[in-house]
Amino acid sequence: MQFEEVAKAFNEIEKRSGRLEMTDLLARIFEKASPEEAERIAYIIQGELRPPYEGIDLGMGEKFVLEAIRKASGYGKSKVEQEFESEGDLGLVAEKLLGKKRQQSLFQTSLSVLSVYNSMFRISKAGGSGSQGMKINRLVEMYNNATPIEAKYITRFVLGQLRLGVGDPTILDALSVSHEGDKSWREPIERAYNLCSDIGHVARVFLEDPEKIRDFKIEVFKPIMPAMAERLANPKEIIAKLGKCAVEYKYDGFRIAVHKKGNRVEIYSRRLEKMTHMFPDVVAAVQNLRPREAIFEGEALAFNEEDKRFYSFQETMHRRRKYGLETAAKKYPLYVFAFDLHYLDGEDCTTCPYLERRKKLESFLSSKGTIKPSTMRIVETAKEIDSLFQAALSMKLEGIMAKDLKAPYTAGKRKFAWIKLKKSYGQEMDTIDAVIVGYYRGKGSRARFGFGGILVAVYNDETSRFETIAKVGSGFTEDEMGRFQKMLEEDKVKRPPTNLDYEMDPDFWVHPRHVVEVAYDNITRSPTHTCGREKGKGLALRFPRMIRIRDDKGPFNATTTKEVEEMHKFS
Ligand code: AMP
């Protein structure tokens, strides 16, 4: 399959914002693709070359791409820079200048999906001295054979700026539509994706043989999409919803998925990044566990045995950075409070009810080790939930998680199988996790930091779009203002993200990447925000305050529009 066909579809997708149209355009591509091509196309749409947990980074900065465009187009450096200045998008610059190419290459061959993917993969693998030159040359080679439209998307891809606004759900729908003409295959495809977090693998398996997708099995070292919790306002509502249920402490640490096969152990974050190197102490403890093969999940955080104090996620990470892993591991030992089991010695446990998973989990953990089961009680009344909630708060924990005794593990889904009750609910402070989409230049006393606040958005998982919810100007220390400015400067983009609905323009747009926890007093309707917009008015946070950066969450794990709508109902 020619890459041009894919590039043309991307171009069409960019012009549309409707999910159905995007789905159809992608479905047509998958229809024509071989399984191998579909695998690569699925990764490319995600802006990746491999699943995120493999941590493959193309690593090409603007400077090098400018150089490649200069070389391939034959224009001078100043012309290329001038075009960049006026277009603000190197993809458009490549399209324009390579279209007018002065130096026609003698041996132009057309680009196939596989050849483009392979070249990009080689670029990502190049390391060591001279690698930048090698990367530029490979890109020039691609440019020499590219049509203008191909050049545009190759450029955006290598810069990490593809941003088609196509979310994973659209890719999953498109796979189903490509095979059956409708979404009837969506459920098993989505389940498979939630069990391996590898969209390319799922596309390939599905195109090879759709039946194989129904029988998809989890595998050690392929991280599972984390289940998410719904929230309710108080213990009474929880009992009304679940009846007899399990209540666990909710630890404010770092969510990890532990994969073990023999002596090999890997640890993945909630964002499915491989974090094994950060947790040598946990790895050692996992190696000593009895099962040969296991996948389980838990919350990692430091705990001080003397004063029985838990350290928050931020404090734990700060200490790990400050003292180095070895010292921190001794001084502030890390514990993993395991709360779920997905796989045990050949058995997929994700379909077992909660209580059965919990029993199996407890069968190989001791309450004294580094890895212990989370504190759990089975309760029948709101009063019991409340007393566990108070006990959790007195230990400086975040709150509790109530769990449906019969529910299977709801990979990648927010269901009432888990219900969270946090300390802020019903009290003076509630928080959401929002994505930064823009920032403001500081005025007055803040001018010296070049930073005056952020524009944040939540994620609408039904439309796969971001919707703004607040402009956050308070809660930043002076130190943080400087750090935010630096961090966001790097992510600055000239145009608003294509998958963002907004009314307000910040001074600078940024690529939606960083998630922050924002506190607020209540939620109101406002015409300046787009979250859950009805009759021209969106939901907005009143008195938003910055609490902390959530490094552990990616933009698609941010609070969803649906959750905000629910919270609005409570408030
Ligand atoms: P939130 O981030 O507020 O939506 O709450 C969900 C998070 O709570 C999960 O992603 C876990 O990281 C964390 N958590 C802490 N303790 C537990 C527990 N016992 N069971 C499940 N999740 C927990």
Side-chain angles (χ1 to χ4, degrees):
M1 181 179 221
Q2 298 305 305
F3 185 67
E4 189 165 24
E5 238 180 293
V6 176
K8 281 186 177 156
F10 286 178
N11 206 36
E12 284 302 305
I13 285 171
E14 221 180 285
K15 291 188 211 145
R16 329 269 158 120
S17 58
R19 173 127 168 236
L20 284 180
E21 290 170 299
M22 292 189 189
T23 309
D24 281 340
L25 284 160
L26 286 182
R28 264 180 258 150
I29 291 291
F30 285 131
E31 251 168 50
K32 293 187 200 154
S34 68
E36 204 184 3
E37 287 163 344
E39 176 190 70
R40 315 292 157 80
I41 294 168
Y43 291 135
I44 292 175
I45 298 169
Q46 277 192 325
E48 307 276 349
L49 285 169
R50 294 284 304 154
Y53 51 87
E54 290 189 15
I56 291 186
D57 185 9
L58 262 177
M60 283 202 83
E62 281 175 355
K63 210 172 99 198
F64 300 105
V65 176
L66 270 165
E67 174 65 6
I69 297 176
R70 188 192 68 70
K71 278 187 161 178
S73 67
Y75 284 99
K77 190 167 175 229
S78 59
K79 168 77 177 160
V80 184
E81 282 175 353
Q82 188 194 332
E83 287 290 337
F84 183 31
E85 189 57 41
S86 71
E87 295 286 355
D89 171 355
L90 276 176
L92 294 179
V93 177
E95 182 179 26
K96 185 166 165 188
L97 295 189
L98 293 163
K100 295 188 195 160
K101 195 153 48 174
R102 283 191 183 165
Q103 296 177 338
Q104 278 297 337
S105 163
L106 282 180
F107 306 102
Q108 209 170 7
T109 46
S110 61
L111 293 173
S112 68
V113 169
L114 295 183
S115 72
V116 168
Y117 178 89
N118 288 345
S119 299
M120 301 212 260
F121 198 74
R122 272 193 232 125
I123 290 179
S124 77
K125 286 281 163 201
S129 68
S131 64
Q132 285 303 352
M134 205 281 255
K135 288 180 183 200
I136 293 172
N137 289 343
R138 280 223 177 278
L139 188 54
V140 172
E141 223 174 273
M142 271 197 278
Y143 282 154
N144 284 340
N145 292 316
T147 59
I149 198 167
E150 287 174 325
K152 170 168 146 188
Y153 290 102
I154 290 172
T155 306
R156 288 190 183 161
F157 185 86
V158 298
L159 285 167
Q161 296 173 353
L162 192 62
R163 296 172 200 151
L164 291 173
V166 175
D168 296 346
T170 311
I171 306 180
L172 303 178
D173 279 348
L175 284 169
S176 173
V177 173
S178 75
H179 178 64
E180 194 76 38
D182 59 27
K183 293 191 196 165
S184 52
W185 281 85
R186 165 66 194 262
E187 212 184 292
I189 296 175
E190 182 175 346
R191 181 176 167 275
Y193 181 43
N194 285 335
L195 292 181
C196 71
S197 316
D198 184 340
I199 200 116
H201 182 57
V202 168
R204 186 180 187 139
V205 171
F206 184 65
L207 262 74
E208 272 166 7
D209 178 3
E211 285 306 326
K212 272 207 241 159
I213 224 74
R214 288 202 199 280
D215 194 30
F216 200 87
K217 293 269 181 301
I218 59 177
E219 275 174 56
V220 184
F221 308 128
K222 277 199 179 284
I224 296 161
M225 293 270 189
M228 289 170 284
E230 281 285 358
R231 52 171 102 196
L232 284 174
N234 54 50
K236 250 175 137 177
E237 290 188 12
I238 295 178
I239 286 293
K241 185 91 194 164
L242 298 181
K244 184 174 172 183
C245 59
V247 168
E248 295 183 22
Y249 281 162
K250 183 174 192 305
Y251 305 87
D252 181 17
F254 192 87
R255 182 174 187 168
I256 56 173
V258 177
H259 288 228
K260 173 182 196 288
K261 190 172 202 165
N263 242 359
R264 180 175 167 204
V265 173
E266 299 290 358
I267 292 177
Y268 302 93
S269 71
R270 178 196 177 121
R271 298 172 67 169
L272 312 172
E273 285 157 342
K274 209 188 265 182
M275 306 289 286
T276 317
H277 62 285
M278 287 284 292
F279 300 98
D281 35 357
V282 177
V283 170
V286 174
Q287 280 165 337
N288 287 328
L289 293 177
R290 197 195 64 223
R292 211 194 101 68
E293 287 186 6
I295 305 177
F296 62 91
E297 236 186 332
E299 195 82 2
L301 73 167
F303 180 64
N304 187 328
E305 286 288 355
E306 277 157 33
D307 57 6
K308 299 270 176 266
R309 167 166 144 43
F310 287 101
Y311 287 92
S312 70
F313 163 72
Q314 212 123 25
E315 283 172 296
T316 305
M317 286 304 153
H318 176 67
R319 285 187 159 70
R320 299 212 127 202
R321 258 177 254 146
K322 188 164 162 193
Y323 299 105
L325 290 181
E326 297 281 320
T327 321
K330 279 198 201 99
K331 253 179 131 157
Y332 305 96
L334 198 66
Y335 291 94
V336 177
F337 293 87
F339 55 74
D340 219 305
L341 176 72
H342 305 149
Y343 182 80
L344 186 63
D345 289 328
E347 188 197 354
D348 179 345
C349 307
T350 55
T351 50
C352 304
Y354 166 84
L355 210 50
E356 205 179 311
R357 301 200 303 279
R358 174 79 195 188
K359 279 192 186 134
K360 288 187 173 136
L361 182 68
E362 286 175 5
S363 75
F364 63 85
L365 294 178
S366 125
S367 59
K368 296 216 173 59
T370 297
I371 302 163
K372 9 172 159 263
S374 59
T375 296
M376 186 275 273
R377 302 274 175 278
I378 308 264
V379 302
E380 291 186 49
T381 64
K383 209 165 146 221
E384 285 171 287
I385 297 187
D386 194 50
S387 74
L388 282 163
F389 181 57
Q390 298 307 333
L393 296 195
S394 71
M395 294 185 81
K396 298 264 177 291
L397 291 172
E398 250 191 326
I400 51 117
M401 277 282 193
K403 299 188 173 175
D404 182 339
L405 297 173
K406 296 196 191 75
Y409 185 77
T410 53
K413 299 224 157 125
R414 193 180 299 283
K415 289 266 162 94
F416 281 98
W418 290 4
I419 302 174
K420 59 190 170 188
L421 184 65
K422 290 211 276 190
K423 71 171 165 265
S424 44
Y425 296 0
Q427 297 181 9
E428 78 287 355
M429 186 175 100
D430 206 341
T431 67
I432 61 161
D433 297 322
V435 185
I436 306 178
V437 292
Y439 71 103
Y440 296 85
R441 209 178 266 131
K443 287 197 195 108
S445 63
R446 290 182 170 195
R448 69 194 157 101
F449 302 107
F451 178 82
I454 51 180
L455 179 64
V456 298
V458 290
Y459 182 58
N460 186 330
D461 57 0
E462 281 157 15
T463 58
S464 308
R465 299 185 64 74
F466 292 101
E467 301 171 347
T468 74
I469 187 162
K471 176 178 170 183
V472 189
S474 65
F476 298 93
T477 62
E478 294 203 342
D479 187 37
E480 276 169 348
M481 286 195 238
R483 273 196 288 138
F484 265 81
Q485 195 279 334
K486 258 209 192 115
M487 174 180 97
L488 296 176
E489 167 108 61
E490 282 180 18
D491 281 340
K492 231 158 66 176
V493 283
K494 298 223 164 136
R495 299 200 181 149
T498 48
N499 52 353
L500 173 73
D501 293 330
Y502 65 99
E503 286 294 334
M504 242 181 181
D505 287 274
D507 292 329
F508 306 104
W509 293 108
V510 296
H511 179 49
R513 184 197 309 271
H514 297 287
V515 176
V516 287
E517 186 174 350
V518 178
Y520 59 90
D521 283 3
N522 51 36
I523 299 173
T524 52
R525 288 257 167 219
S526 151
T528 50
H529 290 290
T530 55
C531 168
R533 191 154 48 180
E534 272 176 17
K535 296 190 189 126
K537 285 190 171 179
L539 294 170
L541 304 185
R542 255 168 76 81
F543 303 116
R545 285 124 24 227
M546 165 74 189
I547 301 291
R548 58 173 175 161
I549 297 193
R550 296 282 314 236
D551 292 325
D552 58 324
K553 286 196 173 179
F556 303 109
N557 312 124
T559 300
T560 60
T561 300
K562 205 167 115 233
E563 281 185 283
V564 176
E565 284 167 344
E566 284 292 308
M567 290 186 266
H568 179 54
K569 268 194 243 154
F570 293 142
S571 61

